[in-house]
Every structure is written in C-alpha cells, then in structure tokens.
Amino acid sequence: MRVALHTKVRAHRIADYEAAHREVPKELTDAIRAAGATSWTIWRWGSPRASEAERGGGMDLFHLLECEDYGRLLAALEELPVNVAWQARTAELLDVVHDYSQGGADAGLPVVWELP
C-alpha cells in the first residue's frame, strides 16, 4: 500500500531538519523496514527565501511511503525506543508532526487521482 502524509517543518529549523535526516539511525531504518515499509521518501516544498504568505506559515513536507499495512507499521514503531527518541528529536523541528498513534493510520492524504 502507498501512503502519502503531510507534515510541516518550522521555517527557522529547515537546516536542522535536513541535517537530522542525513543521520537517521540505522537501528530506526532497520525497524521501519522490519515493520513492513519498502520505501519512504520525504519532499520539502517552499523556499526559505519565500515570503511568509508564500510559505503558508511554514515549510510543507510530503512523505510517500510504501508498506504492507500502515496501521501495523505505526503499531510496531509507536513505542519502539529508537523511534520514540527520533520523534522527540524531530518534534522540536516541526509544526505538524507525524502521528504514530492508532489514529495516525487515518492521517494519510486522500487519493484524488491516479494515472490509469
């Protein structure tokens, strides 16, 4: 299954967010794979030089992940110490965070159209 998510980095923390993602712990990436993810990509929209209005108050992040079962992936990672530590680290950088609770399984962006 493919899941698209939207989070938002704080405008003044972009460099920190990108630096953190150059150092994602191998233990976490291994756990994400073990929980059923086969890929996860994050795109950032907006320029740090854009006006506040153009940025919409922050920097939008769009995630696309492929996994067997998103709800099961969240359940496997929610209480995992390496993920809890990572989420605490990134929460300081984000205005809108990734929801690892059971309710987060419904937080994916709805599909509007797919190339037939």
Side-chain angles (χ1 to χ4, degrees), residues 21 23-35 37 77 82:
H21 281 81
E23 303 171 356
V24 177
K26 183 175 182 333
E27 182 183 358
L28 179 57
T29 59
D30 289 348
I32 291 169
R33 283 190 183 92
L77 299 175
V82 68

Side-chain angles (χ1 to χ4, degrees), residues 1-5 64-65 106-116:
M1 84 184 301
R2 287 180 302 161
V3 179
L5 305 169
L64 178 63
L65 63 120
D106 296 326
L109 299 173
V111 174
V112 175
W113 180 81
E114 288 187 62
L115 181 66

